Amino acid sequence: MRGGIFLAAALTFTACSQPVVPDFGAPNPDATSRLGMQTLVSGLFSGSRNDVGFYAMAMTAFARDAGNFTQVETQFITEFMGDGTPLLPADLGGFVWSNEFVMARAADSILVSLGRVNKPAPYSAGERAQITGIVQTMKALDYMYLAETRDTTGVPLAGVGQTNFGTPAPILCNKDVWRSIVALLDSANAQLNVDTLNPLPVIVPTGFASVSGTAGPSMRAGSFAAFNRALAGKANLELAYAIARSTPATAPTPTSSGLPDAAALRRADSALLASALYQPSALTAPMPGPFSDPNAVYHSFSPASGDVVNPVNANIGTYRMMNEFVAQVDTAHDARWKAKFTTNPAPAQVPQYSDKSSSFIFTFYPSAASPMPIVRAEELVLGRAQVRLGLGDFAGAWGLINQVRTLVGGLPPLAATTDFVSTRDALMREQRISTTMESSADRAIAIRMYGLAAVADTTWGGADLHTTVFPLPTIELTGRTGHLTPVCQ
Amino acid sequence: MVRNGLLFVVLVGAAPAARAVQLADRVPVLFAVERHSGARVDASGAPVFQRSVALDLHGATVADALDAIARETDVRFTYEPNVLPAARRVSAQARSISLAAALTEVLSGTGLDVQLTGVDHLVIVAREPTTSAIMPRRGRQARRMTGRVIDAESRLPIPAALVFVRGTTISTTTSDSGTFALAIPDTATEIVVRRLGYRLATATVAAADLTVTIALTKDVLRLDAEIVTGVATTISSRNAANAVAVVNADQIAGTPAPTLENAIQGKIPGALIEQNNGGAPGGGLQIQIRGITSIESTASPLYVVDGVIVNNQTVNSGANAVTAGGLVPGQVGSALAQSAYDNSPNRLADINPADIESIEVLKGSSASAIYGAQAASGVIIITTKKGAAGRTAWSATQRLGTYTLANELPLRTFPTLQRADAWYLAYKAPGDAGTPAAHADSAYVQSVYAGPQDYQRQLFGGGELSYETDLSARGAALRNTTSYFLSALSKYDNGLMPNTGYNKQSVRSNVSTNLASSLTVGANLFYTHALTRRGITGNDNVGIAPYDVFSSTPQFVNLARPSGAGAWSTNPFGVANPFADASQIQTPEVINRFIAGGTLDWSAYSAAHQTLHVILIGGADFATQHDQIYAPPGLQVERANPAGLPGVATSLDASTTYSNYSLSLVHHFTGVSALSATTSLGIAGENRSFNNTNNVGQNLVAGANSFTAGTVQTGFFTQTGLQDFSLYAQEQVLTLAERLSLTAGVTAERSSENGEINAFYTYPKFSASYRLPRIEHVFDDIKLRAAGGQSGTLPLYGVRYNPLVQQLIEGQSGTYPNTALGNPRIKPETNTEIEAGADVTLAGSRAQLGATVYQKRITNVLLQAAHAASFGSTSQWINGGEFTNQGLELSLSMTPIQMRNGLTWVSTSTYYRNYSVVNRLDVPSFDITGGGAFGANRIQVGRSVSQIVNEGVAPDRNGTFPQVGDVQPAFTMGFSNDFTVGPFRLATVLDWKNGGNAIDFTRFLLDVSPGLMVDSAAAVQRLIGFSKGSPVYVEPGGYVKLREVTMSVEVPSRWLRAIPRLTLSSARLSLSGRNLWSSFAYHGLDPEVSAIGNTNIARGEDIWPFPPARSYFISLDLGI
C-alpha cells in the first residue's frame, strides 16, 4: 500500500511537470523593448557583412582583375574564372544569395516589431519612420547585391517571409528587380525625411558614422538619407541600363552606347547630386594602409570575439592580382596603385594551377580589422561620370573622370573626347584601379552594362573564359520547374 | 536421485551408524548428516574437532570469534546471513583447547549447531530451521532441505548460486561453501539451480530426501544467460525471443585493450565496431548496431551501466584552432571552433573493461523498446562485477607492453645525394612555385641533404613502455549481509608519436546489502581520471599534419634532430617541422568522471506463489573534460600563419551530466498449471545537461601558454539540455512447461526534444518463443522465436526552435535569423522492427546455432528540408522520409573438443549482413559530404543509405550519379577460438569485414605531391584518371584482422603453495597481442578510419590520420 501511494505520488509529480528545456543555443532579444530593437538593428548591419567578401572577390574576378590562387583549392580557379564550360548552378549558386534573403527577412521582422515596442516607451512616429528608413535602405542594399550578382538571370523578391514552402515567387527580370530596388530606396528616403531634426533612435556601426547624425535630408552632411541617395544613384544607373538591355534594339554593344533609359539616368544624376557623400571637390589621394575616407560608408570588421574579420584580409596570401593589368597603370605615379598593391615576391606559380601567375599582391586590407567600403565619394564620382556618359554629356563625364584621376590618382588629366568608346574605356580603366576588390563591384557591373561580357580581355593573356554572373542555386531551379524565365511585370 | 545425469548425493560424516545426539540446548551440537536418511549423526569425534586452538577474545562478535578460530585451525566456516546473533559478545582466553571446546565457548546459548560438511569445512546452522527462503503456506507440512552446489568438473563449491523450488517463490542462494538450506514442501519437489556462467540445473528430490548435492556444468556457450527484458525484469536466454548478444568478462578482459570498444570488436553479430581516429591513443571507436538508424540525428547506441544511462558523447578537443581542419570558407569561427576533425574519442573509453561482468546488446526494437525514443540504435547494457558471499577474494593483474607502428605509406626515399639532386631538378626547378625557388642548382641540395631519412619510423616509432595494473576484491561482510566489489586501475598506453599517450586511473565500489529481510539496496560508485595526449594529426588547412608535411618534404632533410641549443630545424620544403610540432605542441585532455548508481529492491509482498517487488533504480553520470592546447608562436608552422597571428592557446572546459531513475512494480506469479507470469509497470525519467566553453587565444606572447596571453581572443560556448519522462507496462508469461514464452509491453515517453513536449509517443513491443520438445540424437533444443516492436530516435537538441544568430559588431550585440528554421511540430523518428529466428542446440549442448533475420523500418526520418532561399531561409527541420535496414545474423558456438584430459576447444563464429535502402524522401536527393570524383555520400530513393556516388561525371537522365561504393560492408564475420590444454590456453579473435569502401584523400594528396610517392608515375596516371572523373580514390575498405591473440598458462597450485607468506589461489601468465596481423586491399594506412570522427554515414574518410598501432603485452594475473 505504501509503495502504491509512493508510486502514485511520484507519477503525479513527474507527469505534471513539463519537460521544458530552453533554447540555450540562441539569443532571443525582447523585441518589445528599445534595447531589443537595437539588437535587431545591429544584427541587420552585422549580418549584411557576412558574404560581402565573396561578393567583392567574385565580382573582382568577373571584372578580370583577380582570382583565387591557393596551393590546395584548385577548384576556385574554375569556379571564379571558368574553365571553358558553363558553371554548374551548384558551384556558385549559394554565394551571395541566401544571406541576402535572410537579411531581408530580418529587415521585415524589424518593421513588424517596430510598432510593438513599448519599453521603456513606444517609439514616436518620427522615430519609427527613421528606423524604417534605415532598415529599408539596408534591405535595398542586400537586394542590390543580389541583382548585381545575377544580372539578367533575375531575382525573385516576393517570397521573403513566406512559410508555405511550395513554389517560390516568380523570378523578376532584371529591370523589374531594379525598379523594385529603386522604389524601396525611394520609400526609405521618404521615411528618412519624416523626422530630420532629431538624432537617430538607434546606434549604427562606425562604418556608417558619416551618415549617423540624422535621418535626413540627404544633402545634410551626416544624414542617413545621404547614404540612401548614393545607393539610389547607383540603382537608377543600373536600372537605366537594365531597361536598355531588355531589348536588343536599345542594348549597348562593345562599339555603341545603346539607349539607356534617360529618365532613370536623370533620377540617378539627381540622387547622386542629392547625396552629401557625393563630394567631387573633396577627393584626395589615398595613403597606403587601411582605408579611410570621411565621405564613405563602409563595413567595419574586427578580430574581437564574436565579431567578423575582414574576409579579404584572410585571403591576402591567396587572392593575388592575377590579371596583369599593370600595363594600364602608371605604377610609378598613381597614388591608388601605391596604396593598394605591392609586388609579389614570388610571382611564379606552378603549372597545375592553370598556368596563372601574378606580379602583384593586393594590400588594401592589411589587417583583420580593415574596413571595406560600401560606397565612397571616388566611386560615386565615377558613377556619375557613367550617368553623364549615358546622357551623352561627354564633357561632364570627362570632367569627373579627370577629377578622380588627378585628385585621387595624382596623375595628369587625359584629353577629353566625344567618342563613346574611348570615354567608356577611360572610365572603366579608372574604375579598375579605383575600385577593384571593393564591394562596389563597379567595373564588373560596367562590363555587363556596356555589353562587354563576351569580349576577350587581351590583358588576361589568353582566351577569355570568364563568367560574369552567378547562377541561381539549384534549389531555386528545382523549386520552379517550368518557371525559370524571368518575368517582367 | 539422479536427473539429467548431473546429480549425485554425497554424504559427509564420520560416524558409521546413525544415532541421535541429545545435548543440552545451550551447548552447540557437532554433527553431520547421514547420506540417505538425512538423519543427524554425531561428528564430535571427528579429528578436526580435536585440533588445538588458542583463544584471546575480548568482547568480540561471534563472527570475529569464528574468524579467529578459523585462522588458528585452518578450518572454514560458512553460515547464512542473520544466523549469528549480532549483539552477542565473546570474551575468552585459552592457550590450547580443542576446536570443539572453542566452538562450545563461542556458540553456547546461541541456538546454533555446527555441521561438518567437508574435511575442513564447518557450517553454522540454526538449531531450529531458519532460511532466507519464504516458508510454505501455513498448514502445509514442510521439511528442511540442505544441500551443496558444486562445479561438475572441478567438484569445487559454487557460491552465490540461486536455488529455488519450481512453482513456488521459495528460494535462497548458496553460501561461500556452496551450501544452502531451504524449507520445502514435504512432497516430491523439483529444485532448480541457476548461476551465471553455468547451465541451469534441476533436481527432483523425493519426499523423504533432506539433503542434496547438485553439480553445475559450465555454460561455455552461454546457453543460459539472463537476458534483460525490461527495466527490472529478465528472462533466461533459453526462452528469450530476441537475438540478444552477450559478451562476458572473460571475453572482454582476456586481452589488453586500450578501451572497452576495442575489447568487443569481432564478438557481436549485428554490430559494426570501427575506430574513427586511426591509432591515436585513448580510444575513439564507434558502434553501429543493425545498420545506420538515422541520417541527421544520433545513431549511436544507448549505454546503460548498472541501470545508469551514461554519456557516450564526443566533445571535440578544439585542436581545430591549430589545424583549421574544420575551416569552411566564409563561415565565421570555423577555423577556430571545435570541429569533428579534431578526432576526439567518445566517452565509453572511460569504462574499465576489467570491471565488467557482462555486456548485453539489445539490438532489436522489441528488446530495446523499454528505452523508448533513445533506443533505435540499440542499447548496450553493461553490468559490472558485484560482490559475492564468503571471504574476500583478491585479484591482481599486472600488464606490461607497448604499441608499435602497424603500417606505413610508401614514401619515396633518397639513398644518395644524386637521387636527391635529380628529384630537386625535376620537381623544384626555378620557375615553379615550390620552396625555395631561389636555389637553382644542386649546391643547395647538397647543403640540406642529410642522408636518407625514414620520417615515419622516426616520428611514429613508439616503443615507450605501456602498463596496466588492476586490483580488485570481492567478498561479503557483516555476516554475509553485505557484499562488495572493489577495484582500482592504473594504466598508461604509449602513443606512437612523441608526446602522445593515454593515462588513466579509476576506482570502483559496488556494494549491496540487505537492510532487512525484504529490503536490498545496492550502490555503485565509479570514478576515473584520464589524461590523454593525442597530438596533432588529421585534416588540416595549414599544412601541419605530419603526413601533410611528408607530402611536400623529401626524405633527405634532417628534421628529427634539434639543431643547436634546442632550436628545431626549419623545413625548407614545407611550412612545418612535424618533429618540432610533436615535441612542442601540447595537447593534454583531462577527464574527470564520476558515475554513481543505486538500486533499491523492496519485497513488498510475498507468498508461496507470488511476489511483489518495488524496485527503484537510478543514478547520475557527471563528466568534465578540460583541453588546454598550446602551439608556441616560435614554431615554423605558427610563424607561417597566414593571418599573422602566430601561437595558439586554448582552454576548453566541458561538463556533461546525465541522471536517470526508474521506479518499477514487479509482480511475479508462479505455480498454477506451470504458468509463470511477470507483470511490471513503472515510470522513468532522465535529465541531461551539457556545457562547453572554449577560449582560443592567438598571437601569443612568447613563452605564455594561456589563451589570455593572446592579442586576439575568441570565445565559444555551447549549452544543451534534455528532460525525458516515460511510463511503461509489460507482461511476461512463461508456460507450457516453460516452452512457450510470451511478452508484450508498451512504453509511453515524452521529451523536451520533441516539438510537442507534453505529447507522449508510444513504443509497443511483443515477442514470442517456443522451445520444441527434445528429439533424442537429433537435437537438444530448438527454439523458434519472433519479435516486433518500436523504438525511436529523438530529434536533435534545439530543432524545435527557430534559432537566431548572435554576432557582435564593434562590441554591439546583434541578432538575425538563422538560415535554418526549426519546427515546433517535430517528433521522434520511429523505428519499427520485426525479427524472427531460431536457436538450435545440438550434440549434447556442445553446439548452438543461432539465426536471425530482421527488418527495421525507420519512418519520420529527421531531415533538413532545403527550400529556395528566396523565402528568406534555406531549410527547415522536418520528419520526412523512410528507409529500411534488412539483415541476417548467424552465430555458431561449439565445443568441438572437450576431453577428460582437459583439452578443450571452444569456438564461436558470427556472421552479420545488413542491407539498407531509402524508400522515400520528402526532400530532393542530397549529399551528406564529399563530391566530385572523390565520391559523395548521397541520400537518394532506391539506394543504400550509405552509398557512395561518383559526382565527377555527369548524372544520367534522371539526375542520378553512378554508385561506386558503400560505406557499409557487404558482411562481417568474427571468429573466436579458445583452446585449453591443462594449464595452457590459446585464445584468438579474427575480425573480417567484407566489402565497404573508404575514400583515400591521403593518397590523393600524396599523389599531387612533388614526386614523393614511390609510385610517382602511377600517381600521375591516377590523377589523370581522377581529372576525367574516375573515382580512383574510392577504395575497397574491407579487411581481415587478427584482433586478439592471447597465450596463457596457469601456474600449478603446488608452486603457489610453495611461495612462503603469500596465499595465492591462482596465478596466470599471459602473452597477448592486438591487431598483430591484417590484410586489406586498401592503399592507405588502414581502411578502418574516419577523418570526420563520430558520424552516422560519412565514415571511411582518410585524411592525414594518426597511424594505426599494434600492441604486445605480457600479463600476470593473481588470485589471492
Side-chain angles (χ1 to χ4, degrees), chain B residues 440-587:
Chain B
D441 55 41
S442 59
Y444 172 72
V445 177
Q446 193 166 359
S447 70
V448 297
Y449 184 79
Q453 308 289 314
D454 185 344
Y455 291 153
Q456 295 180 88
R457 286 278 164 191
Q458 290 166 336
L459 187 62
F460 303 124
E464 198 179 346
L465 185 67
S466 296
Y467 66 85
E468 177 177 334
T469 305
D470 282 292
L471 290 172
S472 67
R474 64 195 307 178
L478 302 176
R479 302 181 304 280
N480 278 344
T481 59
T482 301
S483 62
Y484 55 85
F485 171 79
L486 308 171
S487 77
L489 163 77
S490 178
K491 74 174 291 180
Y492 174 73
D493 289 340
N494 68 293
L496 299 182
M497 198 162 65
N499 209 9
T500 61
Y502 177 49
N503 200 321
K504 182 166 80 174
Q505 302 82 37
S506 71
V507 291
R508 171 176 290 280
S509 164
N510 293 349
V511 178
S512 177
T513 186
N514 299 322
L515 291 182
S517 60
S518 60
L519 183 62
T520 302
V521 297
N524 309 314
L525 305 174
F526 173 73
Y527 168 76
T528 190
H529 167 273
L531 167 63
T532 312
R533 292 167 295 127
R534 305 167 76 85
I536 298 293
T537 58
N539 187 35
D540 80 286
N541 280 301
V542 297
I544 190 175
Y547 276 105
D548 196 351
V549 180
F550 300 159
S551 73
S552 64
T553 309
Q555 294 193 97
F556 59 72
V557 180
N558 186 356
L559 301 174
R561 191 175 60 242
S563 61
W568 288 87
S569 304
T570 297
N571 180 2
F573 294 99
V575 299
N577 180 337
F579 295 88
D581 296 339
S583 171
Q584 301 297 306
I585 295 179
Q586 305 301 320
T587 58

Side-chain angles (χ1 to χ4, degrees), chain A residues 167-484:
Chain A
T167 303
I171 299 174
L172 295 181
C173 69
N174 192 31
K175 64 180 180 182
D176 281 354
V177 173
W178 283 111
R179 282 196 177 106
S180 298
I181 293 170
V182 166
L184 185 57
L185 286 167
D186 289 346
S187 170
N189 188 48
Q191 294 290 328
L192 291 168
N193 281 283
V194 169
D195 181 353
T196 60
L197 299 176
N198 294 304
L200 298 181
V202 290
I203 301 169
V204 296
T206 56
F208 291 75
S210 61
V211 294
S212 62
T214 58
S218 60
M219 280 301 295
R220 181 191 298 163
S223 74
F224 202 88
F227 174 56
N228 175 286
R229 287 299 87 192
L231 294 181
K234 187 171 181 176
N236 275 295
L237 172 64
E238 299 207 48
L239 172 60
Y241 281 89
I243 294 170
R245 293 167 63 208
S246 64
T247 61
T250 56
T253 70
T255 56
S256 69
S257 64
L259 288 174
D261 185 77
L265 288 174
R266 282 193 289 274
R267 288 196 301 273
D269 204 43
S270 300
L272 289 170
L273 290 171
S275 172
L277 297 175
Y278 179 77
Q279 298 287 345
S281 59
L283 295 178
T284 58
M287 299 297 290
F291 161 78
S292 176
D293 186 342
N295 293 311
V297 174
Y298 52 88
H299 290 296
S300 53
F301 299 95
S302 168
S305 179
D307 210 326
V308 178
V309 299
N310 183 298
V312 181
N313 166 259
N315 292 283
I316 278 179
T318 54
Y319 277 87
R320 298 178 176 180
M321 300 308 296
M322 293 174 55
N323 195 345
E324 301 280 348
F325 69 81
V326 66
Q328 299 180 349
V329 180
D330 184 351
T331 56
H333 302 97
D334 194 325
R336 293 168 296 184
W337 163 261
K338 294 176 182 176
K340 285 190 170 182
F341 301 99
T342 188
T343 301
N344 186 353
Q349 304 293 349
V350 290
Q352 69 192 71
Y353 300 123
S354 305
D355 281 326
K356 299 299 185 294
S357 62
S358 175
S359 299
F360 8 92
I361 296 175
F362 186 76
T363 60
F364 194 42
Y365 305 117
S367 79
S370 298
M372 178 179 282
I374 301 172
V375 292
R376 58 192 185 99
E378 181 181 349
E379 169 208 352
L380 294 177
V381 171
L382 290 173
R384 184 156 179 265
Q386 285 182 280
V387 172
R388 299 313 307 171
L389 178 62
L391 291 170
D393 178 11
F394 290 99
W398 274 108
L400 294 167
I401 291 169
N402 280 326
Q403 203 152 9
V404 171
R405 187 174 165 80
T406 55
L407 295 179
V408 184
L411 302 172
L414 297 173
T417 70
T418 56
D419 169 62
F420 169 76
V421 172
S422 62
T423 307
R424 177 199 68 194
D425 290 349
L427 174 62
M428 291 178 65
R429 280 197 298 273
E430 299 306 321
Q431 277 184 325
R432 167 174 266 174
I433 188 65
S434 286
T435 65
T436 189
M437 203 64 89
E438 295 183 20
S439 67
S440 59
D442 286 340
R443 185 175 145 81
I445 295 166
I447 286 174
R448 297 189 303 229
M449 188 182 287
Y450 296 127
L452 299 171
V455 175
D457 188 339
T458 56
T459 59
W460 182 255
D464 188 345
L465 302 173
H466 306 161
T467 302
T468 59
V469 295
F470 283 14
L472 294 180
T474 305
I475 192 70
E476 296 283 353
L477 304 180
T478 54
R480 286 188 178 81
T481 306
H483 302 283
L484 302 179

Side-chain angles (χ1 to χ4, degrees), chain B residues 107-280:
Chain B
L107 300 179
S108 287
T110 61
L112 297 172
D113 292 340
V114 180
Q115 176 180 330
L116 177 63
T117 61
V119 175
D120 293 322
H121 189 195
L122 304 175
V123 178
I124 309 299
V125 297
R127 184 159 301 160
E128 295 300 327
T130 59
T131 173
S132 61
I134 294 167
M135 298 296 290
R137 280 182 298 182
R138 185 177 299 173
R140 174 172 291 186
Q141 291 295 319
R143 56 180 158 155
R144 185 171 186 274
M145 166 68 72
T146 60
R148 287 182 80 208
V149 177
I150 61 172
D151 185 298
E153 187 179 336
S154 67
R155 302 301 184 194
L156 293 173
I158 298 175
L162 175 66
V163 183
F164 61 95
V165 179
R166 189 184 297 282
T168 74
T169 59
I170 301 170
S171 67
T172 188
T173 55
T174 57
S175 66
D176 189 35
S177 61
T179 60
F180 67 89
L182 277 174
I184 66 173
D186 204 8
T187 56
T189 302
E190 196 170 37
I191 294 179
V192 184
V193 182
R194 186 188 299 283
R195 175 70 164 86
L196 185 66
Y198 289 88
R199 297 294 314 277
L200 178 139
T202 59
T204 300
V205 292
D209 290 345
L210 292 178
T211 184
V212 65
T213 296
I214 303 174
L216 302 184
T217 54
K218 282 198 170 67
D219 188 13
V220 292
L221 302 183
R222 295 181 297 283
L223 302 176
D224 276 326
E226 282 293 299
I227 302 301
V228 168
T229 58
V231 172
T233 55
T234 63
I235 193 170
S236 168
S237 61
R238 62 162 50 191
N239 296 111
N242 301 96
V244 177
V246 180
V247 185
N248 63 21
D250 290 342
Q251 295 171 294
I252 296 166
T255 303
T259 58
L260 176 58
E261 312 98 298
N262 298 94
I264 57 176
Q265 278 184 303
K267 300 171 185 173
I268 300 174
L272 180 64
I273 306 171
E274 292 194 292
Q275 63 188 18
N276 68 11
N277 67 333

Side-chain angles (χ1 to χ4, degrees), chain B residues 681-727:
Chain B
L681 57 90
I683 61 173
E686 185 186 1
N687 281 270
R688 298 181 183 181
S689 68
F690 173 68
N691 289 273
N692 179 23
T693 305
N694 185 23
N695 290 300
V696 181
Q698 296 172 281
N699 198 25
L700 296 180
V701 174
N705 64 356
S706 165
F707 74 91
T708 55
T711 61
V712 178
Q713 297 173 25
T714 308
F716 301 91
F717 179 68
T718 304
Q719 185 177 11
T720 65
L722 176 145
Q723 290 184 22
D724 267 14
F725 174 72
S726 61
L727 308 162

Side-chain angles (χ1 to χ4, degrees), chain B residues 795-1118:
Chain B
L796 293 168
Y797 170 79
V799 302
R800 58 189 290 255
Y801 296 105
N802 280 327
L804 293 175
V805 175
Q806 183 180 22
Q807 190 168 278
L808 297 184
I809 180 165
E810 298 167 339
Q812 180 77 40
S813 183
T815 61
Y816 54 85
N818 200 314
T819 55
L821 294 176
N823 187 339
R825 295 175 301 281
I826 205 74
K827 55 188 178 182
E829 296 180 350
T830 304
N831 188 324
T832 306
E833 184 168 6
I834 55 172
E835 69 174 60
D839 298 310
V840 182
T841 307
L842 304 163
S845 298
R846 288 176 63 172
Q848 187 185 52
L849 173 66
T852 305
V853 294
Y854 65 86
Q855 184 190 63
K856 178 185 290 194
R857 190 162 56 91
I858 297 99
T859 54
N860 295 326
V861 174
L862 186 69
L863 295 171
Q864 272 193 295
H867 51 249
S870 55
F871 286 113
S873 55
T874 58
S875 64
Q876 183 176 35
W877 288 99
I878 64 166
N879 293 104
E882 172 186 321
F883 65 97
T884 304
N885 287 325
Q886 295 175 322
L888 170 66
E889 297 163 1
L890 300 173
S891 67
L892 174 62
S893 302
M894 54 186 178
T895 51
I897 300 174
Q898 190 171 28
M899 301 178 70
R900 291 185 180 277
N901 63 6
L903 173 60
T904 305
W905 172 22
V906 180
S907 174
T908 300
S909 302
T910 62
Y911 172 91
Y912 162 53
R913 174 187 176 83
N914 183 78
Y915 169 77
S916 73
V917 63
V918 178
N919 309 111
R920 180 175 62 83
L921 281 179
D922 295 350
V923 299
S925 303
F926 62 95
D927 291 349
I928 296 291
T929 188
F934 285 120
N937 299 114
R938 187 167 182 80
I939 305 297
Q940 68 182 101
V941 173
R943 296 284 186 83
S944 160
V945 73
S946 52
Q947 69 160 346
I948 300 172
V949 301
N950 179 16
E951 295 181 349
V953 295
D956 64 16
R957 291 179 182 176
N958 301 320
T960 301
F961 293 101
Q963 182 175 351
V964 294
D966 201 300
V967 175
Q968 294 285 304
F971 65 83
T972 62
M973 292 191 74
F975 303 92
S976 300
N977 286 281
D978 200 329
F979 303 90
T980 305
V981 184
F984 300 99
R985 177 172 178 255
L986 171 65
T988 63
V989 176
L990 195 70
D991 193 7
W992 177 19
K993 175 186 172 187
N994 181 279
N997 298 88
I999 301 175
D1000 195 352
F1001 289 105
T1002 298
R1003 194 181 204 202
F1004 164 75
L1005 294 165
L1006 288 169
D1007 280 352
V1008 300
S1009 75
L1012 291 176
M1013 293 291 283
V1014 167
D1015 63 341
S1016 56
V1020 171
Q1021 293 305 311
R1022 283 193 293 272
L1023 288 173
I1024 292 172
F1026 175 73
S1027 68
K1028 294 178 179 175
S1030 177
V1032 293
Y1033 299 104
V1034 179
E1035 297 193 17
Y1039 54 78
V1040 180
K1041 292 190 175 186
L1042 185 58
R1043 292 287 187 199
E1044 300 177 8
V1045 179
T1046 295
M1047 294 180 293
S1048 62
V1049 57
E1050 295 282 348
V1051 178
S1053 56
R1054 62 179 182 279
W1055 294 11
L1056 300 179
R1057 288 197 296 270
I1059 302 174
R1061 297 176 178 275
L1062 194 58
T1063 308
L1064 293 179
S1065 60
S1066 66
R1068 183 172 63 244
L1069 189 64
S1070 307
L1071 291 173
S1072 56
R1074 182 172 290 279
N1075 294 325
L1076 296 186
W1077 173 85
S1078 61
S1079 175
F1080 47 77
Y1082 185 68
H1083 290 92
L1085 289 169
D1086 194 327
E1088 196 181 349
V1089 67
S1090 172
I1092 319 180
N1094 181 9
T1095 58
N1096 298 349
I1097 295 174
R1099 301 185 179 187
E1101 296 201 354
D1102 183 338
I1103 309 176
W1104 311 134
F1106 196 114
R1110 61 169 62 103
S1111 64
Y1112 307 88
F1113 274 86
I1114 182 170
S1115 306
L1116 178 62
D1117 299 271
L1118 300 176

